[in-house]
Amino acid sequence: FVVTMFWSIYIYDRELVYPKLLDNFIPAWLNHGMHTTVLPFVLIEMRTTHHQYPSRSCGLAAVCTFSVGYILWVCWIHHVTGVWVYPLLEHLSPGVKIMFFAAVTVIINIFYLVGEVLNNYIWDTQK
């Protein structure tokens, strides 16, 4: 999810997720460490570790809980500091923010389901 969302928005307009100002404080290798190298490590883990998924409803509930918790944390940071962690959020109206957060939660759930399907395919555990 991080790789997909970050780099999609970065390619569209980097200032929305990673302003040029950050280049003065965060070296390029660290940016890639946070937003790129996650993917190969996830793929390696998927291939080397058989994951036991909970029931689909419990798994999706856990993913939704994490997603809502993260969104609330991002909103709390804005409430306390007056600054959005992700500059993209500055450009969205309150209604569009709600739709964005809902869409992000749906996308995360889709990635969870894709991970479950790939895990079952790789480890041949589908019944």
Side-chain angles (χ1 to χ4, degrees):
F1 176 80
V2 169
V3 174
T4 304
M5 288 298 290
F6 178 83
W7 288 110
S8 296
I9 296 170
Y10 186 97
I11 288 167
Y12 174 74
D13 181 358
R14 82 169 278 178
E15 294 296 317
L16 295 175
V17 288
Y18 195 80
K20 270 192 177 289
L21 173 68
L22 292 178
D23 291 342
N24 297 326
F25 308 101
I26 302 173
W29 66 266
L30 186 54
N31 178 27
H32 282 287
M34 293 184 295
H35 300 109
T36 307
T37 60
V38 177
L39 182 60
F41 287 118
V42 165
L43 295 174
I44 290 167
E45 179 190 8
M46 181 177 282
R47 188 64 184 106
T48 60
T49 306
H50 176 230
H51 292 276
Q52 290 292 103
Y53 279 78
S55 70
R56 186 160 287 165
S57 59
C58 285
L60 291 174
V63 170
C64 284
T65 300
F66 174 81
S67 180
V68 169
Y70 188 79
I71 290 166
L72 290 174
W73 179 246
V74 167
C75 291
W76 175 255
I77 291 169
H78 176 262
H79 174 73
V80 171
T81 67
V83 176
W84 286 105
V85 176
Y86 304 107
L88 164 72
L89 297 172
E90 294 174 19
H91 304 284
L92 304 178
S93 67
V96 174
K97 272 187 195 80
I98 291 169
M99 289 188 297
F100 177 76
F101 290 146
V104 163
T105 301
V106 168
I107 292 168
I108 290 172
N109 279 280
I110 290 168
F111 278 129
Y112 174 83
L113 294 173
V114 168
E116 181 180 358
V117 168
L118 287 174
N119 183 69
N120 289 337
Y121 176 76
I122 290 169
W123 295 97
D124 197 30
T125 58
Q126 206 168 34
K127 293 176 174 73

mmCIF file of all heavy atoms in Angstrom, residues 98-121:
data_model
loop_
_atom_site.group_PDB
_atom_site.id
_atom_site.type_symbol
_atom_site.label_atom_id
_atom_site.label_comp_id
_atom_site.label_asym_id
_atom_site.label_seq_id
_atom_site.Cartn_x
_atom_site.Cartn_y
_atom_site.Cartn_z
ATOM 1 N N ILE A 98 -13.040 12.851 3.773
ATOM 2 C CA ILE A 98 -13.781 11.666 4.234
ATOM 3 C C ILE A 98 -13.832 10.618 3.127
ATOM 4 O O ILE A 98 -13.585 9.427 3.372
ATOM 5 C CB ILE A 98 -15.186 12.059 4.716
ATOM 6 C CG1 ILE A 98 -15.078 12.878 6.005
ATOM 7 C CG2 ILE A 98 -16.070 10.826 4.926
ATOM 8 C CD1 ILE A 98 -16.368 13.544 6.434
ATOM 9 N N MET A 99 -14.124 11.060 1.903
ATOM 10 C CA MET A 99 -14.160 10.110 0.783
ATOM 11 C C MET A 99 -12.772 9.515 0.526
ATOM 12 O O MET A 99 -12.645 8.321 0.245
ATOM 13 C CB MET A 99 -14.690 10.793 -0.478
ATOM 14 C CG MET A 99 -16.173 11.101 -0.406
ATOM 15 S SD MET A 99 -16.884 11.694 -1.958
ATOM 16 C CE MET A 99 -15.998 13.216 -2.207
ATOM 17 N N PHE A 100 -11.729 10.339 0.642
ATOM 18 C CA PHE A 100 -10.358 9.864 0.461
ATOM 19 C C PHE A 100 -10.011 8.814 1.514
ATOM 20 O O PHE A 100 -9.485 7.751 1.188
ATOM 21 C CB PHE A 100 -9.387 11.046 0.526
ATOM 22 C CG PHE A 100 -7.940 10.645 0.428
ATOM 23 C CD1 PHE A 100 -7.386 10.291 -0.789
ATOM 24 C CD2 PHE A 100 -7.135 10.624 1.567
ATOM 25 C CE1 PHE A 100 -6.047 9.920 -0.883
ATOM 26 C CE2 PHE A 100 -5.803 10.266 1.477
ATOM 27 C CZ PHE A 100 -5.255 9.908 0.255
ATOM 28 N N PHE A 101 -10.323 9.113 2.780
ATOM 29 C CA PHE A 101 -10.030 8.161 3.851
ATOM 30 C C PHE A 101 -10.815 6.861 3.659
ATOM 31 O O PHE A 101 -10.288 5.768 3.901
ATOM 32 C CB PHE A 101 -10.343 8.770 5.221
ATOM 33 C CG PHE A 101 -9.390 9.867 5.636
ATOM 34 C CD1 PHE A 101 -9.843 10.940 6.384
ATOM 35 C CD2 PHE A 101 -8.048 9.831 5.298
ATOM 36 C CE1 PHE A 101 -8.982 11.950 6.791
ATOM 37 C CE2 PHE A 101 -7.168 10.838 5.694
ATOM 38 C CZ PHE A 101 -7.638 11.903 6.441
ATOM 39 N N ALA A 102 -12.069 6.964 3.208
ATOM 40 C CA ALA A 102 -12.864 5.756 2.949
ATOM 41 C C ALA A 102 -12.251 4.956 1.803
ATOM 42 O O ALA A 102 -12.127 3.723 1.893
ATOM 43 C CB ALA A 102 -14.306 6.139 2.635
ATOM 44 N N ALA A 103 -11.849 5.650 0.736
ATOM 45 C CA ALA A 103 -11.243 4.957 -0.409
ATOM 46 C C ALA A 103 -9.940 4.280 -0.013
ATOM 47 O O ALA A 103 -9.674 3.141 -0.419
ATOM 48 C CB ALA A 103 -11.004 5.950 -1.546
ATOM 49 N N VAL A 104 -9.129 4.959 0.788
ATOM 50 C CA VAL A 104 -7.862 4.390 1.249
ATOM 51 C C VAL A 104 -8.133 3.120 2.073
ATOM 52 O O VAL A 104 -7.443 2.111 1.918
ATOM 53 C CB VAL A 104 -7.069 5.445 2.051
ATOM 54 C CG1 VAL A 104 -5.973 4.814 2.873
ATOM 55 C CG2 VAL A 104 -6.506 6.494 1.122
ATOM 56 N N THR A 105 -9.140 3.166 2.918
ATOM 57 C CA THR A 105 -9.488 1.994 3.726
ATOM 58 C C THR A 105 -9.928 0.837 2.837
ATOM 59 O O THR A 105 -9.532 -0.312 3.060
ATOM 60 C CB THR A 105 -10.578 2.362 4.753
ATOM 61 O OG1 THR A 105 -10.081 3.422 5.576
ATOM 62 C CG2 THR A 105 -10.943 1.175 5.624
ATOM 63 N N VAL A 106 -10.709 1.124 1.809
ATOM 64 C CA VAL A 106 -11.135 0.077 0.863
ATOM 65 C C VAL A 106 -9.913 -0.496 0.144
ATOM 66 O O VAL A 106 -9.776 -1.719 0.012
ATOM 67 C CB VAL A 106 -12.168 0.637 -0.147
ATOM 68 C CG1 VAL A 106 -12.398 -0.331 -1.294
ATOM 69 C CG2 VAL A 106 -13.479 0.955 0.562
ATOM 70 N N ILE A 107 -9.012 0.360 -0.302
ATOM 71 C CA ILE A 107 -7.811 -0.107 -1.011
ATOM 72 C C ILE A 107 -6.958 -0.994 -0.105
ATOM 73 O O ILE A 107 -6.460 -2.043 -0.538
ATOM 74 C CB ILE A 107 -6.995 1.091 -1.542
ATOM 75 C CG1 ILE A 107 -7.769 1.792 -2.659
ATOM 76 C CG2 ILE A 107 -5.621 0.646 -2.034
ATOM 77 C CD1 ILE A 107 -7.203 3.146 -3.046
ATOM 78 N N ILE A 108 -6.807 -0.610 1.152
ATOM 79 C CA ILE A 108 -6.025 -1.426 2.086
ATOM 80 C C ILE A 108 -6.674 -2.801 2.261
ATOM 81 O O ILE A 108 -5.993 -3.823 2.311
ATOM 82 C CB ILE A 108 -5.861 -0.705 3.439
ATOM 83 C CG1 ILE A 108 -4.932 0.501 3.281
ATOM 84 C CG2 ILE A 108 -5.320 -1.647 4.512
ATOM 85 C CD1 ILE A 108 -4.855 1.397 4.491
ATOM 86 N N ASN A 109 -7.997 -2.828 2.327
ATOM 87 C CA ASN A 109 -8.699 -4.107 2.441
ATOM 88 C C ASN A 109 -8.518 -4.961 1.192
ATOM 89 O O ASN A 109 -8.363 -6.178 1.285
ATOM 90 C CB ASN A 109 -10.189 -3.876 2.728
ATOM 91 C CG ASN A 109 -10.441 -3.595 4.179
ATOM 92 O OD1 ASN A 109 -10.486 -4.493 4.992
ATOM 93 N ND2 ASN A 109 -10.572 -2.321 4.524
ATOM 94 N N ILE A 110 -8.504 -4.324 0.038
ATOM 95 C CA ILE A 110 -8.269 -5.065 -1.206
ATOM 96 C C ILE A 110 -6.862 -5.664 -1.193
ATOM 97 O O ILE A 110 -6.673 -6.835 -1.547
ATOM 98 C CB ILE A 110 -8.486 -4.158 -2.434
ATOM 99 C CG1 ILE A 110 -9.978 -3.843 -2.586
ATOM 100 C CG2 ILE A 110 -7.940 -4.809 -3.703
ATOM 101 C CD1 ILE A 110 -10.298 -2.750 -3.581
ATOM 102 N N PHE A 111 -5.871 -4.888 -0.762
ATOM 103 C CA PHE A 111 -4.513 -5.419 -0.664
ATOM 104 C C PHE A 111 -4.445 -6.589 0.318
ATOM 105 O O PHE A 111 -3.720 -7.558 0.092
ATOM 106 C CB PHE A 111 -3.512 -4.333 -0.270
ATOM 107 C CG PHE A 111 -3.042 -3.496 -1.420
ATOM 108 C CD1 PHE A 111 -3.093 -2.121 -1.355
ATOM 109 C CD2 PHE A 111 -2.534 -4.079 -2.568
ATOM 110 C CE1 PHE A 111 -2.656 -1.338 -2.409
ATOM 111 C CE2 PHE A 111 -2.089 -3.314 -3.634
ATOM 112 C CZ PHE A 111 -2.157 -1.939 -3.563
ATOM 113 N N TYR A 112 -5.188 -6.501 1.405
ATOM 114 C CA TYR A 112 -5.231 -7.612 2.360
ATOM 115 C C TYR A 112 -5.756 -8.871 1.669
ATOM 116 O O TYR A 112 -5.179 -9.958 1.807
ATOM 117 C CB TYR A 112 -6.112 -7.253 3.562
ATOM 118 C CG TYR A 112 -6.310 -8.408 4.509
ATOM 119 C CD1 TYR A 112 -5.355 -8.710 5.474
ATOM 120 C CD2 TYR A 112 -7.439 -9.223 4.436
ATOM 121 C CE1 TYR A 112 -5.522 -9.783 6.335
ATOM 122 C CE2 TYR A 112 -7.614 -10.289 5.290
ATOM 123 C CZ TYR A 112 -6.661 -10.571 6.241
ATOM 124 O OH TYR A 112 -6.829 -11.642 7.086
ATOM 125 N N LEU A 113 -6.849 -8.729 0.921
ATOM 126 C CA LEU A 113 -7.444 -9.879 0.238
ATOM 127 C C LEU A 113 -6.496 -10.439 -0.833
ATOM 128 O O LEU A 113 -6.373 -11.664 -0.972
ATOM 129 C CB LEU A 113 -8.784 -9.488 -0.383
ATOM 130 C CG LEU A 113 -9.886 -9.129 0.615
ATOM 131 C CD1 LEU A 113 -11.111 -8.583 -0.113
ATOM 132 C CD2 LEU A 113 -10.253 -10.325 1.484
ATOM 133 N N VAL A 114 -5.824 -9.555 -1.554
ATOM 134 C CA VAL A 114 -4.845 -10.004 -2.554
ATOM 135 C C VAL A 114 -3.712 -10.767 -1.861
ATOM 136 O O VAL A 114 -3.282 -11.823 -2.345
ATOM 137 C CB VAL A 114 -4.293 -8.809 -3.370
ATOM 138 C CG1 VAL A 114 -3.083 -9.218 -4.198
ATOM 139 C CG2 VAL A 114 -5.382 -8.236 -4.260
ATOM 140 N N GLY A 115 -3.265 -10.269 -0.720
ATOM 141 C CA GLY A 115 -2.223 -10.970 0.039
ATOM 142 C C GLY A 115 -2.675 -12.351 0.473
ATOM 143 O O GLY A 115 -1.910 -13.314 0.397
ATOM 144 N N GLU A 116 -3.912 -12.445 0.919
ATOM 145 C CA GLU A 116 -4.449 -13.751 1.330
ATOM 146 C C GLU A 116 -4.490 -14.716 0.145
ATOM 147 O O GLU A 116 -4.076 -15.874 0.263
ATOM 148 C CB GLU A 116 -5.849 -13.567 1.921
ATOM 149 C CG GLU A 116 -6.475 -14.847 2.408
ATOM 150 C CD GLU A 116 -7.862 -14.643 2.991
ATOM 151 O OE1 GLU A 116 -8.347 -13.492 3.054
ATOM 152 O OE2 GLU A 116 -8.464 -15.652 3.388
ATOM 153 N N VAL A 117 -4.970 -14.244 -0.993
ATOM 154 C CA VAL A 117 -5.046 -15.093 -2.189
ATOM 155 C C VAL A 117 -3.647 -15.521 -2.628
ATOM 156 O O VAL A 117 -3.411 -16.702 -2.934
ATOM 157 C CB VAL A 117 -5.786 -14.349 -3.330
ATOM 158 C CG1 VAL A 117 -5.620 -15.073 -4.658
ATOM 159 C CG2 VAL A 117 -7.258 -14.185 -2.985
ATOM 160 N N LEU A 118 -2.702 -14.581 -2.662
ATOM 161 C CA LEU A 118 -1.328 -14.930 -3.048
ATOM 162 C C LEU A 118 -0.697 -15.910 -2.068
ATOM 163 O O LEU A 118 -0.001 -16.844 -2.479
ATOM 164 C CB LEU A 118 -0.470 -13.669 -3.158
ATOM 165 C CG LEU A 118 -0.725 -12.778 -4.364
ATOM 166 C CD1 LEU A 118 0.085 -11.495 -4.268
ATOM 167 C CD2 LEU A 118 -0.424 -13.518 -5.656
ATOM 168 N N ASN A 119 -0.926 -15.710 -0.784
ATOM 169 C CA ASN A 119 -0.405 -16.631 0.225
ATOM 170 C C ASN A 119 -0.943 -18.042 -0.012
ATOM 171 O O ASN A 119 -0.188 -19.014 0.016
ATOM 172 C CB ASN A 119 -0.785 -16.146 1.628
ATOM 173 C CG ASN A 119 -0.210 -17.007 2.718
ATOM 174 O OD1 ASN A 119 0.982 -17.034 2.944
ATOM 175 N ND2 ASN A 119 -1.082 -17.727 3.410
ATOM 176 N N ASN A 120 -2.245 -18.139 -0.265
ATOM 177 C CA ASN A 120 -2.839 -19.450 -0.520
ATOM 178 C C ASN A 120 -2.311 -20.058 -1.811
ATOM 179 O O ASN A 120 -2.102 -21.273 -1.889
ATOM 180 C CB ASN A 120 -4.364 -19.345 -0.569
ATOM 181 C CG ASN A 120 -4.953 -19.085 0.799
ATOM 182 O OD1 ASN A 120 -4.344 -19.390 1.822
ATOM 183 N ND2 ASN A 120 -6.125 -18.496 0.827
ATOM 184 N N TYR A 121 -2.079 -19.238 -2.824
ATOM 185 C CA TYR A 121 -1.552 -19.740 -4.088
ATOM 186 C C TYR A 121 -0.111 -20.230 -3.920
ATOM 187 O O TYR A 121 0.242 -21.323 -4.348
ATOM 188 C CB TYR A 121 -1.622 -18.641 -5.155
ATOM 189 C CG TYR A 121 -1.012 -19.047 -6.459
ATOM 190 C CD1 TYR A 121 -1.703 -19.921 -7.322
ATOM 191 C CD2 TYR A 121 0.245 -18.600 -6.836
ATOM 192 C CE1 TYR A 121 -1.147 -20.311 -8.527
ATOM 193 C CE2 TYR A 121 0.815 -18.998 -8.044
ATOM 194 C CZ TYR A 121 0.115 -19.849 -8.878
ATOM 195 O OH TYR A 121 0.680 -20.255 -10.055
#
